[in-house]
Amino acid sequence: MNHFKTLEFDVILNQLSDCAISSTAKERCLSIFPADNIAEAIRLTNQTTEARKIIEYSGSPPIASMTDLKKIIGLINADAMLSPNHIENVATFLTSCNRMRAYLKKSESTETEIAFYGNSMIDQSGLEEEINRCLHNGQIDDRATPRLHDLRRSVERKGEQIKTKIESLLQKNKQYCVDGFVAVRNGRYTMPVKKDYKNKIPGILVEVSNTGGTCFIEPSAISKLQEELSILKIEEDNEVRTILYTLTALIHEDLPSIKMNMEAMETLDFVFAKAKLSISMKATQIHLTEEREIRLLSARHPLLRNSTDDAPPVPLNFALGNSTKGIIITGPNTGGKTVAIKTVGLFSLMAQSGLHVPADERSSICIFDSVWCDIGDGQSISQNLSTFSSHMTNIIGILEKTTTLSLILFDELGSGTDPAEGMGIATAILEELLAKECLFTVTTHYPEIKDFAANTQGVINARMAFDRESLMPLYKLEIGEAGESCALHIAERLGMPAHLLKRAREITYSGISAAPPTSNNKTQENIIQTVTPLEIKNNPEKEKTIPRSQTFNIGDSVTVYPQKIIGIVYQRANNTGEIGVQIKGKKCLINHKRIKLRVAADELYPEDYDFSIIFDSVENRKARHLMDRKHVPGNTVTISEG
């Protein structure tokens, strides 16, 4: 599935496959799919824990490779005779089974269920001993049968007779021969005769040397002996074939037991592969819970490599669930936001698949019916989709399949398009996820989304810590606080000129148009001025020269987005573009981009209206009134900072 690859679960499965020995177990590792119920997930995880306990107690298990065993079984079923190599492979497997039974017997003291798997493996020592008696180094042993032993001795003696006869002929005809040694060519005993004298030696020409100067001749004097040797070799070959057929038949008789032991060995290979992966990752078994929550302590992404200074990766602490349905993670680029949500998703897949995860054993994960994510570039060349279009296509598909039991992970939600529209789309998606009551984690740079999290029940902010002095990310997730992109701060530390920074801040926070500077040398401060909605209404052209943040006045009735809450402006915009808005008696500083005018103050109140009636407490109003008349020791006015 695509999200398996996105979360790099496929890489983990490849690593798991590398820990297995047999091809069947390797295939099983690659085809793992997360369990959809807690009982099965716990069973699979306990398997891994028990297998690791056995390895730590008894050492590496004697897993059989089972090379070509399925091919060998196919030959047996086709009534074919097995070769010595095939039979030796069977013997190697039977030896491994006996070693595994002994290994598990030793491990029974660990009191694990897996240690008693050995009792299900059938003892085939008799067949193993018979094969080893008949075979040695891939060849049928001389003592496999008495007849084979006698035939091979006869072959050996007959060969010696032939060699003695030829050596005698070489001595008598040495003037015609290249040297005085018997040469064996094509299994026949010959005399190496010089080309010019080949007719001097009666016999059969067996072979000519590469240079053509030597003829290898089987002399007629040994023809009878050579014929007798050939007959003995035929009888020897027939006896060997009889032995091979007999061994093949014995294996065929024991085939059901062999298949049962193969299945047991493949299962053990798979289970011990999970344990080996756990050991290599320094992972642990975490708690699988029926509560709708994820709680990760000291979690380390298993594919995250240490930095060049050998400092270990910063562990992740993460908590989501119960009353908190979603977490919005913010912070600078390269700060680890994507790694954080990938870790959460990957650990969920691993835990539900019965794998250990590199985290504190006190961690816990619930069972999800699905884990969906939209992470990375996602640009589709084949479908001619832009990055944004590709993300939207993916997200729309995910929302259609999301259930209450889903885990959703979105990276840079709403990015890749107009910021205002992207923020609106992101907010709408978050509202939909809340409506579906699933668990979700989202990364973003939008300040409005941070405000959405701060003001929406069931959603909280989180940030990736950043060292402002060194300009280095700390890769530490801090839940409960919103982060910032730190772009202006980074630019300042890297030496951006002051006038450019000033201009950037004005455009970012004061809503000033990013138009090119005019030639009349007017400063931006000259442009910023107080203006009422009535003035703008009477002179529409004036609105084009006024920063949007400065168009809101005390007493204006406004709508705050994305919550669409109605409030009243109690403080004009500050130098960062934030406007003081009183909502249900609570004073808040809100970015002007999130505010829309409903009714202007001059349409709601008389010209000299005393707004302290709305914004001040009764105590403050009395104190102010007394302060205007005379000095009274101890008389104070409480000022809210919003």
Side-chain angles (χ1 to χ4, degrees):
M1 300 181 72
N2 287 338
H3 61 284
F4 279 15
K5 186 173 183 180
T6 302
L7 294 172
E8 298 176 285
F9 186 53
D10 61 325
V11 179
I12 300 298
L13 296 187
N14 277 314
Q15 290 185 352
L16 177 63
S17 176
D18 291 340
C19 294
I21 305 297
S22 65
S23 58
T24 306
K26 287 179 178 291
E27 292 172 3
R28 187 171 173 182
C29 290
L30 294 174
S31 61
I32 277 182
F33 198 86
D36 59 2
N37 67 83
I38 191 168
E40 178 65 6
I42 290 175
R43 184 186 71 82
L44 294 172
T45 307
N46 287 340
Q47 271 187 353
T48 307
T49 302
E50 289 188 358
R52 175 167 177 169
K53 187 176 181 180
I54 290 174
I55 290 178
E56 291 173 340
Y57 177 79
S58 301
S60 183
I63 301 293
S65 63
M66 294 179 280
T67 305
D68 293 334
L69 273 186
K70 289 187 176 180
K71 177 182 177 182
I72 292 169
I73 292 173
L75 290 172
I76 293 174
N77 290 331
D79 294 328
M81 182 189 75
L82 297 180
S83 69
N85 285 335
H86 289 151
I87 295 172
E88 196 166 55
N89 281 339
V90 173
T92 300
F93 170 69
L94 298 178
T95 301
S96 295
C97 288
N98 287 332
R99 289 176 179 171
M100 178 59 78
R101 290 173 69 247
Y103 173 85
L104 294 176
K105 187 67 177 177
K106 172 187 174 184
S107 304
E108 286 181 2
S109 59
T110 61
E111 299 182 351
T112 58
E113 289 186 10
I114 292 177
F116 292 91
Y117 278 18
N119 297 330
S120 67
M121 299 184 75
I122 300 171
D123 185 359
Q124 295 180 284
S125 299
L127 177 59
E128 178 193 0
E129 291 172 1
E130 180 62 14
I131 293 174
N132 290 333
R133 186 187 68 79
C134 296
L135 276 175
H136 183 68
N137 292 332
Q139 299 294 327
I140 298 297
D141 191 86
D142 292 353
R143 291 181 174 79
T145 64
R147 176 167 171 73
L148 179 64
H149 178 266
D150 292 343
L151 285 169
R152 285 182 173 174
R153 295 292 77 78
S154 297
V155 168
E156 186 179 340
R157 285 194 297 269
K158 192 63 66 176
E160 289 299 324
Q161 290 179 25
I162 294 172
K163 287 173 65 178
T164 301
K165 184 67 175 178
I166 292 178
E167 286 172 353
S168 175
L169 292 171
L170 286 170
Q171 187 65 27
K172 292 178 182 179
N173 300 281
K174 58 183 177 181
Q175 69 272 26
Y176 305 133
C177 298
V178 175
D179 53 46
F181 298 99
V182 178
V184 179
R185 290 292 183 273
N186 297 326
R188 305 176 75 88
Y189 293 93
T190 66
M191 296 173 61
V193 181
K194 297 175 184 177
K195 176 184 178 182
D196 295 339
Y197 300 106
K198 65 180 180 179
N199 294 326
K200 296 290 183 178
I201 306 295
I204 301 171
L205 179 63
V206 175
E207 189 177 289
V208 178
S209 67
N210 292 335
T211 61
T214 302
C215 296
F216 297 95
I217 297 174
E218 180 187 283
S220 300
I222 67 161
S223 295
K224 185 178 180 181
L225 292 174
Q226 185 68 58
E227 184 179 348
E228 292 172 352
L229 178 62
S230 296
I231 292 172
L232 287 171
K233 285 187 174 181
I234 290 172
E235 291 178 355
E236 178 195 3
D237 184 62
N238 287 338
E239 183 64 16
V240 167
R241 292 175 68 84
T242 299
I243 294 168
L244 290 176
Y245 271 120
T246 301
L247 292 175
T248 301
L250 290 174
I251 294 172
H252 187 275
E253 289 176 5
D254 248 11
L255 206 53
S257 298
I258 291 174
K259 289 180 178 178
M260 288 182 64
N261 284 348
M262 284 179 65
E263 291 176 4
M265 188 67 76
E266 288 165 356
T267 298
L268 289 168
D269 190 6
F270 170 70
V271 172
F272 280 118
K274 295 194 295 179
K276 292 173 188 175
L277 182 67
S278 172
I279 293 171
S280 68
M281 287 183 176
K282 299 180 180 178
T284 59
Q285 177 179 359
I286 63 173
H287 182 57
L288 291 166
T289 177
E290 294 181 334
E291 299 292 331
R292 303 308 301 163
E293 65 174 6
I294 301 176
R295 185 167 175 264
L296 299 179
L297 302 173
S298 299
R300 295 166 284 107
H301 195 291
L303 304 180
L304 192 63
R305 296 290 181 263
N306 288 352
S307 59
T308 54
D309 60 359
D310 291 329
V314 178
L316 172 71
N317 292 319
F318 181 90
L320 172 65
N322 294 322
S323 61
T324 302
K325 299 299 182 183
I327 293 180
I328 309 299
I329 304 178
T330 50
N333 291 326
T334 72
K337 300 190 300 295
T338 303
V339 172
I341 64 173
K342 275 190 171 185
T343 301
V344 174
L346 179 60
F347 277 28
S348 296
L349 296 176
M350 290 177 65
Q352 288 183 224
S353 301
L355 301 179
H356 288 175
V357 299
D360 189 291
E361 61 184 6
R362 295 171 297 169
S363 302
S364 61
I365 287 181
C366 61
I367 301 297
F368 295 100
D369 62 3
S370 56
V371 177
W372 302 104
C373 64
D374 181 73
I375 300 172
D377 186 350
Q379 187 166 3
S380 173
I381 297 175
S382 61
Q383 297 183 26
N384 194 28
L385 295 176
S386 68
T387 300
F388 177 74
S389 298
S390 179
H391 282 307
M392 282 300 102
T393 300
N394 190 29
I395 290 172
I396 291 169
I398 289 173
L399 292 177
E400 291 175 350
K401 293 173 282 192
T402 298
T403 71
T404 305
L405 301 179
S406 298
L407 172 63
I408 309 299
L409 307 167
F410 289 152
D411 191 29
E412 301 295 350
L413 183 61
S415 63
T417 187
D418 175 82
E421 293 183 352
M423 182 275 294
I425 290 173
T427 302
I429 291 171
L430 292 176
E431 289 176 344
E432 179 67 9
L433 293 177
L434 281 171
K436 289 181 177 289
E437 297 185 346
C438 62
L439 297 185
F440 62 90
T441 302
V442 170
T443 73
T444 184
H445 282 294
Y446 289 125
E448 293 84 358
I449 301 300
K450 304 174 194 177
D451 294 336
F452 173 86
N455 294 287
T456 303
Q457 187 175 2
V459 186
I460 60 174
N461 275 308
R463 67 184 178 189
M464 301 305 299
F466 181 80
D467 189 333
R468 286 178 168 268
E469 295 303 317
S470 65
L471 302 184
M472 295 296 291
L474 300 177
Y475 304 108
K476 181 180 180 182
L477 181 67
E478 298 175 340
I479 294 179
E481 298 291 338
E484 53 185 329
S485 63
C486 299
L488 292 173
H489 179 75
I490 292 173
E492 182 177 14
R493 290 296 306 274
L494 294 177
M496 177 178 275
H499 71 284
L500 293 180
L501 282 169
K502 180 180 178 182
R503 176 64 175 161
R505 286 194 175 95
E506 289 169 346
I507 294 173
T508 302
Y509 296 117
S510 300
I512 297 173
S513 171
T518 58
S519 59
N520 58 8
N521 295 326
K522 285 186 178 181
T523 64
Q524 196 64 49
E525 285 78 1
N526 296 138
I527 298 175
I528 298 177
Q529 55 184 292
T530 301
V531 63
T532 67
L534 185 60
E535 290 176 309
I536 293 175
K537 184 177 180 180
N538 294 334
N539 186 7
E541 290 298 318
K542 192 167 188 177
E543 183 177 13
K544 299 180 181 179
T545 65
I546 303 300
R548 184 177 184 277
S549 61
Q550 302 300 317
T551 62
F552 294 96
N553 294 291
I554 294 174
D556 286 349
S557 175
V558 295
T559 302
V560 178
Y561 290 87
Q563 297 91 343
K564 298 181 181 179
I565 301 173
I566 297 174
I568 299 176
V569 175
Y570 73 87
Q571 176 183 302
R572 290 181 53 77
N574 57 24
N575 58 0
T576 64
E578 293 177 318
I579 295 172
V581 180
Q582 180 170 294
I583 303 172
K584 297 180 180 179
K586 182 180 179 181
K587 292 180 171 60
C588 308
L589 289 177
I590 299 173
N591 190 286
H592 69 90
K593 296 177 182 178
R594 293 180 51 208
I595 298 173
K596 181 179 180 181
L597 180 67
R598 290 182 68 251
V599 184
D602 53 11
E603 296 181 27
L604 291 172
Y605 308 102
E607 185 174 348
D608 296 325
Y609 185 76
D610 182 7
F611 285 104
S612 66
I613 297 173
I614 300 175
F615 303 127
D616 265 357
S617 64
V618 175
E619 292 75 11
N620 267 1
R621 290 174 58 203
K622 288 181 178 179
R624 288 183 191 279
H625 181 68
L626 186 59
M627 197 175 291
D628 290 340
R629 292 172 51 209
K630 62 181 179 179
H631 170 69
V632 177
N635 185 35
T636 60
V637 175
T638 302
I639 299 175
S640 173
E641 295 295 335

